[in-house]
Amino acid sequence: MKKKNIFILIFFILAVVAYHVFGYIGHYGYDDVHYAKLAVDFNRGIHDYTDHFTYRTPIILLTALSYSVFGFSDSASAIPSLLIAIAIVVIVYKLLKNKGPHTLITGLALTVLSNWFIFYSDKLMPDLYVALSILLSLFLIHQYKFSSRKKDPFLYSVLLSFSLLFGFMAKGTVILFIPVLVFFICVDFLLKRDRRFWVYTIVAGVVVFAAYFIIIGLITGDVFKRFEAIVNNSYLNLCSYEKQPVAILLKRIAYQFFVMLVYQTMATGYIFLIAFLVREKSSGYFKINDSFSFWIASAFVLLLSSNFMSISLTSYSPMCLDPRHYLFLVPVVSIPASAVVAGFIKRKTYGIQIVLTIISIAVVAVFLEGKGFFYHYIPLLFLFGVYMLLKPARSNQIIFVILFVAVMALMPATMIDYAQKVKYKKQKEIFETYILNSADSCTVITNDVQKNLGNYYNKFRDDGVIRFLNYKEFNDDTADHRKKILFMNGYTRNLSGMGFEDLPYYARNISENNELIYRDEELKIEIYEMNEILIPKHSFRKLMYSKNTFEEQIINWSQNDSDISTERKYAGTKSIRLGEYSSSFEYELDSLDLDSVSQLSVMCSVYCCFFDKTNAKLVVSVENQDGAYIWYGLEINKFIKAYSNWWPVQHEVTVNKKDIKKDSWIKVYLWNMEKQKAFVDDFEITIAGY
């Protein structure tokens, strides 16, 4: 049996490694690349204590060590996270190895093959470190309370304190574990047990964390430097719930978190626990009288903490809805869930409850985008439903376990398929071949993510040979004497949050004087040597300009004056409240001097204040008496970083002169099709000819 269990463990460890080999898609190009830079800087003896990421020492130190041992590479970047993921798998194995093969296999499958757990198992992110810290902390508490070996409360309390410190150093989100600790302490003190252990833990925790902050003070001169760095590096975003309407916060804690778990297929383990508690009397399982109830209580208290707990000390602001922030839920819930599944396999226990719970979750999933409904919940429902009709013979049990692992692997398989289409290694080879291995010095103009990846591929060297600029940073004054290379990549552009329409004019309209160096239509990669850069403000002739601040009537603007408001304003004293349509700019094109131009560029800029997610569009249309025959609509929501705040929206549309019909006019406005409450201010229109 012991040898069989080892083979099971090896199988799931190899699954983690295999996913890295076949499903690796590289880096997101923001935080992960920044961690890589901090690790490289650490090896160079450079430390920036004003950067709050610098204090996430576990990921930086392990990555720096990996670079020192294996050299700078993608593999070296992935090794620390792979080791952390494997450590989590080993802890789950240690907890389940004596529970029987069905429990062990299903527990490891629920952990390893959870879509986002295995996805982040090779990513340069600290969230798995937090998951390890929380799981290890629970493991230590569990072993102290329920292990048959002789217990040393002082040793376990010290180990627990260091485990929590490890998580805190990795990322402050380990704070979500505090309610679990408080719950355990309260229950044990009320039931008059393990009090000495908890007293030791509190004292050891105070000493360990005090020592940590004293060390920070000795290094930086301020024991609270980490918190100061966090405040100074904070910025307004969609997760700043305390700075948005209360309705946004209420939706977040009422249902959006749970919908996210269903959508991201992270609710799987809870399906089985809910089915169990529906049938059993749940209150007794929160007295933590045995190992099973310990893990059930841990899973549900951690779930509630993840939804309701604030991560801010100054205001109520729950965690942002990104699945990677909640990876710690996966192994914790998998442990008790595996026991429920094993009971179903052997005796069909809780079968009806499990099937009904899966149906309920699937009903929610069918209304959500993504592959979860077809590739996860429906296969689970089919598997458990069919097994309900069969006898739990040994052969059927074996087949069920194999199929359960296969069903859990479906979502990771879709990600592997996606990775094969992304072809990250080929993308990297193209960049290295045509940019890094080029003999010429150059300025590379590209999107944010490709710029960050370029610095990463170049090992963050600042030798003056190659410089990477994003589109906003580049203008003809910053290119100096070096050759200018335009590197366009559809994949990294999407990661940057850009559509094709968001590209600057010179990237959307490549001059014939520019030399195509390389093109891959499948990967949507194009590389040009830019001999001529068409920048509207330099190459275009301004034909007209208008700005409406809504402080007074402006020619060529039509609006309902009753919508003018002083309730909100970006500048001045007034703005305009949106109905279905905003104030509209209209201009007759025949009145423009178009004799010497072949194209028109319509550049729009407006400040918007919306109070919730919106489908509103910034519209530019060319119309005649028969209606609009040229129409562009730009989604506004992607520009909004936090609701109830002002955000700039910019749009640039190019219209060919030959496409413009006689007696036409141009029209620019916001279309608020859902008639949401919103305000608009400082609406600018520039029409230029080229």
Side-chain angles (χ1 to χ4, degrees):
M1 181 66 72
K2 184 177 180 180
K3 184 179 292 186
K4 183 189 294 185
N5 288 346
I6 292 295
F7 282 131
I8 293 171
L9 173 63
I10 292 173
F11 172 82
F12 283 100
I13 290 176
L14 290 177
V16 173
V17 176
Y19 188 90
H20 171 67
V21 173
F22 298 105
Y24 186 62
I25 61 169
H27 307 276
Y28 275 122
Y30 289 108
D31 290 3
D32 44 6
V33 170
H34 190 56
Y35 289 122
K37 183 180 186 303
L38 291 174
V40 170
D41 286 346
F42 182 87
N43 286 336
R44 293 171 177 168
I46 302 171
H47 312 284
D48 180 8
Y49 296 112
T50 64
D51 185 346
H52 68 294
F53 280 15
T54 298
Y55 298 90
R56 296 178 177 179
T57 47
I59 187 171
I60 295 170
L61 292 179
L62 285 178
T63 305
L65 177 62
S66 183
Y67 291 157
S68 297
V69 175
F70 302 105
F72 187 88
S73 66
D74 285 334
S75 295
S77 296
I79 285 173
S81 292
L82 286 168
L83 292 177
I84 295 294
I86 291 171
I88 292 173
V89 174
V90 170
I91 293 175
V92 174
Y93 166 80
K94 287 183 69 67
L95 288 163
L96 299 179
K97 66 179 181 178
N98 297 323
K99 305 295 184 181
H102 295 341
T103 305
L104 178 61
I105 293 172
T106 54
L108 289 174
L110 285 167
T111 300
V112 173
L113 300 178
S114 177
N115 190 36
W116 290 110
F117 179 89
I118 198 166
F119 178 82
Y120 280 102
S121 62
D122 59 4
K123 300 296 181 290
L124 233 175
M125 291 287 194
D127 303 279
L128 270 183
Y129 291 70
V130 175
L132 174 61
S133 168
I134 290 177
L135 181 63
L136 180 59
S137 298
L138 287 170
F139 173 78
L140 290 168
I141 299 170
H142 175 273
Q143 294 304 95
Y144 173 76
K145 293 176 72 68
F146 303 109
S147 174
S148 59
R149 297 179 182 178
K150 186 177 180 180
K151 306 167 187 176
D152 182 346
F154 178 75
L155 174 62
Y156 276 87
S157 65
V158 171
L159 292 175
L160 175 58
S161 299
F162 277 104
S163 175
L164 293 172
L165 178 63
F166 175 83
F168 181 72
M169 289 194 298
K171 194 176 181 182
T173 54
V174 77
I175 193 176
L176 295 179
F177 188 61
I178 290 178
V180 181
L181 287 176
V182 172
F183 174 77
F184 287 153
I185 292 171
C186 290
V187 170
D188 281 350
F189 268 78
L190 286 173
L191 297 178
K192 299 180 180 180
R193 66 189 183 195
D194 298 327
R195 291 180 174 181
R196 190 166 57 153
F197 167 73
W198 290 116
V199 171
Y200 285 164
T201 298
I202 293 171
V203 173
V206 170
V207 172
V208 167
F209 276 82
Y212 168 73
F213 285 110
I214 289 171
I215 292 172
I216 287 180
L218 293 174
I219 294 173
T220 67
D222 183 357
V223 294
F224 299 114
K225 189 67 176 180
R226 176 175 179 174
F227 297 114
E228 179 186 320
I230 292 173
V231 172
N232 292 337
N233 285 274
S234 63
Y235 57 94
L236 190 62
N237 56 54
L238 287 174
C239 301
S240 304
Y241 294 104
E242 74 281 11
K243 297 180 180 178
Q244 300 184 80
V246 174
I248 300 295
L249 173 63
L250 292 178
K251 288 193 291 185
R252 159 63 181 83
I253 62 177
Y255 66 88
Q256 287 181 342
F257 170 71
F258 302 106
V259 169
M260 183 273 293
L261 292 182
V262 174
Y263 171 69
Q264 303 293 358
T265 66
M266 295 178 70
T268 308
Y270 286 99
I271 288 175
F272 306 111
L273 294 194
I274 291 171
F276 172 81
L277 293 178
V278 164
R279 177 169 168 178
E280 300 292 337
K281 293 181 179 179
S282 59
S283 59
Y285 290 96
F286 291 88
K287 294 180 181 179
I288 319 174
N289 292 320
D290 55 35
S291 174
F292 182 61
S293 63
F294 172 87
W295 289 107
I296 284 186
S298 299
F300 277 105
V301 175
L302 201 54
L303 178 73
L304 294 174
S305 175
S306 298
N307 187 46
F308 294 106
M309 178 72 173
S310 174
I311 59 171
S312 171
L313 299 176
T314 58
S315 59
Y316 182 60
S317 183
M319 180 83 81
C320 190
L321 291 177
D322 186 324
R324 69 184 175 91
H325 297 321
Y326 304 95
L327 294 180
F328 52 78
L329 291 174
V330 174
V332 173
V333 72
S334 297
I335 294 164
S338 64
V340 178
V341 176
F344 172 81
I345 295 171
K346 295 175 183 177
R347 299 175 297 276
K348 296 187 181 179
T349 312
Y350 316 113
I352 294 175
Q353 290 80 9
I354 290 173
V355 170
L356 290 177
T357 306
I358 296 175
I359 290 174
S360 301
I361 297 296
V363 168
V364 176
V366 76
F367 294 103
L368 305 175
E369 297 179 3
K371 301 178 179 179
F373 178 75
F374 290 106
Y375 287 88
H376 189 70
Y377 297 114
I378 289 300
L380 271 180
L381 180 60
F382 182 78
L383 176 62
F384 279 83
V386 170
Y387 191 77
M388 284 283 290
L389 305 176
L390 303 175
K391 293 181 179 180
R394 180 174 175 79
S395 58
N396 289 339
Q397 292 181 22
I398 294 173
I399 293 172
F400 180 92
V401 171
I402 293 172
L403 291 178
F404 182 81
V405 173
V407 168
M408 289 298 301
L410 286 176
M411 287 297 291
T414 64
M415 293 303 297
I416 290 176
D417 179 64
Y418 174 70
Q420 296 300 311
K421 294 175 181 176
V422 168
K423 297 182 180 179
Y424 168 75
K425 290 184 179 179
K426 184 177 180 181
Q427 290 192 36
K428 182 180 178 181
E429 288 173 2
I430 292 169
F431 193 89
E432 290 177 334
T433 299
Y434 293 96
I435 303 298
L436 299 186
N437 297 336
S438 174
D440 300 327
S441 64
C442 62
T443 293
V444 179
I445 311 156
T446 187
N447 59 66
D448 283 339
V449 168
Q450 195 68 60
K451 169 200 166 182
N452 295 338
L453 289 177
N455 285 314
Y456 168 81
Y457 298 148
N458 202 34
K459 301 179 182 179
F460 305 104
R461 289 181 296 223
D462 188 15
D463 52 15
V465 177
I466 302 176
R467 180 173 56 168
F468 302 98
L469 298 176
N470 63 33
Y471 296 121
K472 290 183 178 179
E473 294 169 336
F474 173 78
N475 60 60
D476 55 358
D477 297 325
T478 61
D480 55 57
H481 63 282
R482 283 177 282 203
K483 181 168 63 175
K484 296 176 282 293
I485 301 294
L486 177 66
F487 193 101
M488 296 201 296
N489 182 344
Y491 173 67
T492 56
R493 186 186 73 216
N494 290 336
L495 289 180
S496 300
M498 299 180 68
F500 180 79
E501 70 280 358
D502 298 315
L503 293 173
Y505 181 87
Y506 59 81
R508 288 183 287 112
N509 300 271
I510 305 295
S511 169
E512 295 179 355
N513 296 324
N514 295 326
E515 178 186 350
L516 177 64
I517 299 175
Y518 178 85
R519 173 181 288 156
D520 188 314
E521 294 184 358
E522 180 187 13
L523 296 179
K524 297 180 180 178
I525 292 178
E526 293 180 320
I527 309 174
Y528 293 90
E529 181 176 349
M530 303 295 283
N531 300 313
E532 181 181 18
I533 299 196
L534 305 177
I535 299 178
K537 67 180 181 180
H538 295 159
S539 306
F540 281 26
R541 178 163 56 89
K542 185 183 292 185
L543 300 176
M544 74 83 54
Y545 170 81
S546 182
K547 180 176 181 179
N548 193 346
T549 62
F550 307 104
E551 303 294 324
E552 58 186 3
Q553 284 284 352
I554 304 294
I555 190 173
N556 300 317
W557 291 84
S558 60
Q559 62 199 34
N560 186 346
D561 290 341
S562 63
D563 291 331
I564 301 296
S565 172
T566 58
E567 180 182 345
R568 294 263 174 161
K569 60 268 187 185
Y570 171 73
T573 61
K574 301 175 184 177
S575 66
I576 190 166
R577 184 177 183 131
L578 280 184
E580 183 176 358
Y581 299 97
S582 73
S583 176
S584 177
F585 171 81
E586 298 182 39
Y587 198 86
E588 293 183 3
L589 292 176
D590 289 346
S591 64
L592 295 175
D593 180 11
L594 302 180
D595 292 339
S596 59
V597 303
S598 60
Q599 283 184 329
L600 290 182
S601 177
V602 183
M603 291 165 276
C604 317
S605 174
V606 60
Y607 281 86
C608 297
C609 178
F610 280 82
F611 295 84
D612 206 340
K613 186 176 181 180
T614 179
N615 292 319
K617 301 178 187 293
L618 175 59
V619 176
V620 176
S621 66
V622 179
E623 306 178 8
N624 61 14
Q625 60 183 2
D626 296 323
Y629 58 90
I630 297 176
W631 192 93
Y632 297 93
L634 175 71
E635 295 283 352
I636 286 176
N637 198 72
K638 67 179 180 179
F639 292 92
I640 300 175
K641 309 304 180 185
Y643 299 113
S644 80
N645 292 271
W646 289 98
W647 297 100
V649 177
Q650 295 179 326
H651 193 21
E652 181 184 347
V653 170
T654 301
V655 180
N656 291 321
K657 177 183 174 182
K658 61 183 177 62
D659 295 330
I660 300 175
K661 300 176 182 179
K662 189 177 180 181
D663 298 326
S664 294
W665 60 88
I666 194 161
K667 193 172 182 180
V668 183
Y669 58 93
L670 268 76
W671 181 22
N672 183 26
M673 63 277 290
E674 296 172 342
K675 299 182 181 180
Q676 294 171 275
K677 180 181 178 181
F679 295 87
V680 170
D681 204 355
D682 283 16
F683 207 152
E684 294 184 68
I685 308 294
T686 300
I687 301 178
Y690 176 70

